[in-house]
Every structure is written in C-alpha cells, then in structure tokens.
C-alpha cells in the first residue's frame, strides 16, 4: 500500500463556498472554489440561497477539479466530504453527492470534521512551508468558531478554550456593519487598519476566565462608541475610518494573543498553528510572526488559499483517514453541530 499512490477527491460545502480538490497522497493536484456572491446584498449568508447555489455549482466544480488534476474518475481511491459543522442545507448537498458518487464508483467514503480540517491543512505538502510537530496548539478562527485546540496527533485533538458567544469573524463583520461597510466586512477592516493608528481609540478587552473568549461585549462597545461619535460629528466614520479599523483590529489581535500566551504557559507547548478564514488577517499573522522572536514560539501560518473554506484541507484529512482505513458507510448524514 505504501508504494501505491492514493488519490482523494475532496468535497467541501459547509457554508457559502462550493469546493472540490484532488490530492495525490499529501500533495495537492487541484483546488477549485466557487464563491457565492448572491449573499452580499443581504449582508450575510442566506442558508436557502446557499443550498441552491451548491446544487448549481457542485457538478462543474468537481468536474473541473478532476480535469485540472489530469486524472480519470476511475483513478480516485476514495471520496472525502465535510460532514459538519456548518449549515444543514449546504452540508446535505455535499454529503448526498459524495455518497452517490462513492456508490457509483464503488470506492470508500470518508467523513471529515471541517474544524479538524482547518488544523490539518498545515500537513499539505508545500514548498517553503513547515509542518508542525506534535504536540502543538491550534488557534482556529473563523466566522463561526474561535477555539484553542491541543493537537497530540492527526486525530487526537482537545478543545481547551473557545468563545462563549460570538466568534472572532462575527466580531469583525458586525463591527464593519456598524461602520456601514459592505459584507463581508472583516477583510475591509484589515485593509483600512493597515493605514491607521492602532492606538487612536481604546476599547475594553473582555474579562473571561480560563482560555475562553468573548466578543459580544466588544461588539456592543464599538456600537455605542460609534453612535456617540456620530451624534457629535455625522462625518466621524468617514473622517476616521482607518484609525477606527486599526483600533478594532489591535484590540481583537490582543485578545487572541493574550489567550494564546496563557495557553502556552499552562500547557508548556510553544508550537502554535492558526487556521480558519480569519487566519488570513494581516494583523494576526504579524503578531504571530513577532511572537517567534519575542517569546521563542514556533509558529505555523497556512497559505492564504488554505485559510478560507476549501476542499484541499478536507482532502488531507481524507488522506490520513484512508491510511488508517477509517471509512464511513452510506448511512452517514450531515451534522451541522459536529465537535472535534
């Protein structure tokens, strides 16, 4: 088996991106993502519209992934798919398609936890990118999750800290909405933050025990601050957008870094990996890179294409599960709340 190449077709449909990838062992051959722009005018993801778009996109996306990998359907060793967490309707599209295709090709089916995949994305073989050594701490940050996970092996993971309310991605997007920025606002805050003074405005950091996070209070503080300032000066946001964004980003990054420092101290593990859509944020990446020199940490930051929802990360989990012969049967169904 060791000398035989393993080809994994991976399918990701947990939210509003339809994605498919082909991996040859731990090397990526193709990674196709169809984004859904229909949600922008609503200021957030509309689940029913997302499901319909997945149904339209899934066949051409998988077809393109196979074509770009330059393989035939009969070469595929197994199909890996996102079982959860995510939006039920979206997950059902990917799950149903994966089950049908696996049955048609008579090949194994592999279920994947989306959050576990964000962590194992670091194990996709890439030039100039280091692979973490076990054990390490993973900070998974996205629109729906904020977690610190202790990772002892590919499949031994324990959540040691998580948000008790909003996820960090929600804090970014809701802050952007308060400022009148279009959805998704997180990347725009990051863009404007790079041009502003991070210490222009001070926002209080939440006091949450242990390694858990809270962002709902920060969001409320930003709302009241903006309302007060706009009442005094209707042009406040336009005149100070860069500084506001820089101050919001500075506060959020400090919240994340404070908890990471505490986790390193408590566990004695100084290898830190990040994953999830918000790990594309320049402020967080900069803070982690600086932590290597400041605290002697070893940090692992994924390629940008592996930060947002993608099928490559589903495929690498599929590869390791294939090696372990950890397959699922056709009775499997989507699970919108699916813990690591």
């Amino acid at each position: 088996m060791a000398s035989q190449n393993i080809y994994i077709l991976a399918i990701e449909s947990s939210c509003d991106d339809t994605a498919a990838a082909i991996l040859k062992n731990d090397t990526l051959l193709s990674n196709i993502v169809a984004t859904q722009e229909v949600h922008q005018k609503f200021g957030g993801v509309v689940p029913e519209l997302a499901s319909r778009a997945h149904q339209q996109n899934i066949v051409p996306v998988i077809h393109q992934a196979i074509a770009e990998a330059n393989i035939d359907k009969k070469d595929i060793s197994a199909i890996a798919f996102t079982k959860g967490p995510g939006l039920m309707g979206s997950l059902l599209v990917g799950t149903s398609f994966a089950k049908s295709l696996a049955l048609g090709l008579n090949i194994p089916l592999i279920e994947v936890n989306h959050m576990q995949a964000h962590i194992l994305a670091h194990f996709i073989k890439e030039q100039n990118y280091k692979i973490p050594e076990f054990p390490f701490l993973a900070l998974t940050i996205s629109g729906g999750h904020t977690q610190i996970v202790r990772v002892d092996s590919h499949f031994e993971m324990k959540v040691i800290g998580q948000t008790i309310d909003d996820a960090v991605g929600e804090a970014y997007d809701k802050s952007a909405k308060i400022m009148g920025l279009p959805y998704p606002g997180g990347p725009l805050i990051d863009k404007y933050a790079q041009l502003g003074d991070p210490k222009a405005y001070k926002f209080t950091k939440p006091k949450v025990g242990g390694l858990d996070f809270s962002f709902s209070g920060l969001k409320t503080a930003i709302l009241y601050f903006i309302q007060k300032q706009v009442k005094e000066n209707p042009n406040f946001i336009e005149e100070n957008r860069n500084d506001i964004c820089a101050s919001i980003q500075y506060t959020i990054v400090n919240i994340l870094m404070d908890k990471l420092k505490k986790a390193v101290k408590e566990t004695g593990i100084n290898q830190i990996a990040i994953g999830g859509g918000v790990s594309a944020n320049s402020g967080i990446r900069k803070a982690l890179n600086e932590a290597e020199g400041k605290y002697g940490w070893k940090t692992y930051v994924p390629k940008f294409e592996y930060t947002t929802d993608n099928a490559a990360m589903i495929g690498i989990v599929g590869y390791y599960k294939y090696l372990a012969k950890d397959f699922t049967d056709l009775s499997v169904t989507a699970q919108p709340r699916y813990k690591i």
Side-chain angles (χ1 to χ4, degrees):
M1 180 66 73
S3 61
Q4 184 182 335
N5 287 322
I6 297 163
Y7 291 93
I8 302 291
L9 165 62
I11 299 170
E12 153 61 24
S13 68
S14 63
C15 191
D16 61 334
D17 290 324
T18 316
I22 298 287
L23 272 78
K24 176 183 177 182
N25 304 320
D26 56 356
T27 302
L28 186 66
L29 298 184
S30 64
N31 191 28
I32 309 301
V33 181
T35 56
Q36 301 176 5
E37 295 179 0
V38 67
H39 307 285
Q40 288 180 356
K41 63 183 175 184
F42 297 103
V45 177
V46 181
E48 179 61 28
L49 294 180
S51 304
R52 291 179 192 174
H54 283 305
Q55 289 176 315
Q56 291 174 334
N57 293 338
I58 195 161
V59 172
V61 163
I62 290 173
H63 179 79
Q64 190 177 344
I66 293 170
E68 283 198 14
N70 200 25
I71 65 167
D72 192 271
K73 285 197 296 289
K74 68 177 186 298
D75 298 320
I76 299 169
S77 310
I79 298 173
F81 69 97
T82 303
K83 178 181 176 179
L87 300 174
M88 187 59 167
S90 296
L91 290 166
L92 280 172
V93 176
T95 302
S96 302
F97 195 95
K99 287 163 66 174
S100 303
L101 190 56
L103 180 64
L105 295 175
N106 194 28
I107 56 176
L109 190 62
I110 300 169
E111 63 181 59
V112 175
N113 182 301
H114 180 87
M115 299 311 296
Q116 186 181 51
H118 272 305
I119 295 170
L120 293 189
H122 289 274
F123 291 82
I124 300 170
K125 191 181 286 181
E126 289 282 352
Q127 277 191 324
N128 305 318
Y129 278 83
K130 303 171 291 180
I131 290 176
E133 296 173 12
F134 301 115
F136 65 90
L137 298 177
L139 176 67
T140 56
I141 41 179
S142 67
H145 293 82
T146 305
Q147 299 175 329
I148 300 176
V149 183
R150 179 187 170 122
V151 186
D152 290 299
S153 75
H154 293 111
F155 303 115
E156 285 181 89
M157 300 182 184
K158 183 182 179 185
V159 177
I160 59 174
Q162 60 191 326
T163 183
I164 60 172
D165 43 56
D166 287 357
V168 65
E170 287 178 277
Y172 269 108
D173 285 341
K174 288 176 180 177
S175 297
K177 191 171 184 178
I178 291 165
M179 295 174 62
L181 297 174
Y183 175 86
L188 290 173
I189 287 185
D190 186 20
K191 176 185 170 184
Y192 294 127
Q194 294 173 56
L195 305 170
D197 175 6
K199 296 184 180 179
Y201 308 105
K202 186 173 174 62
F203 297 108
T204 307
K205 290 191 286 186
K207 293 179 173 65
V208 185
L211 298 175
D212 288 338
F213 300 89
S214 171
F215 291 101
S216 64
L218 174 64
K219 174 197 68 184
T220 305
I222 292 166
L223 173 64
Y224 289 162
F225 168 78
I226 295 290
Q227 286 177 339
K228 181 174 180 286
Q229 297 298 327
V230 169
K231 195 174 181 181
E232 295 172 6
N233 174 13
N235 298 317
F236 176 75
I237 295 174
E238 289 74 16
E239 292 171 1
N240 301 279
R241 182 177 284 119
N242 295 343
D243 287 348
I244 300 167
C245 290
S247 300
I248 291 171
Q249 177 139 302
Y250 178 77
T251 306
I252 290 174
V253 170
N254 275 331
I255 291 168
L256 295 173
M257 292 304 294
D258 286 350
K259 292 293 184 176
L260 273 181
K261 283 185 268 188
K262 190 171 185 181
V264 169
K265 188 176 180 182
E266 288 186 10
T267 62
I269 299 169
N270 69 349
Q271 290 202 105
I272 313 292
I274 58 169
V278 184
S279 65
N281 180 279
S282 66
I284 293 166
R285 286 173 170 248
K286 184 183 176 187
L288 267 183
N289 287 332
E290 288 174 352
E292 286 205 331
K294 268 189 195 175
Y295 313 120
W297 296 357
K298 281 176 110 175
T299 62
Y300 303 88
V301 178
K303 282 181 75 172
F304 279 105
E305 65 188 274
Y306 302 148
T307 56
T308 52
D309 292 348
N310 66 92
M313 66 182 194
I314 305 301
I316 193 66
V317 180
Y319 169 67
Y320 285 111
K321 283 197 167 189
Y322 188 95
L323 292 178
K325 292 186 167 48
D326 184 2
F327 305 132
T328 190
D329 60 39
L330 293 171
S331 67
V332 68
T333 189
Q335 195 170 331
R337 294 185 180 274
Y338 188 21
K339 294 183 179 179
I340 289 179

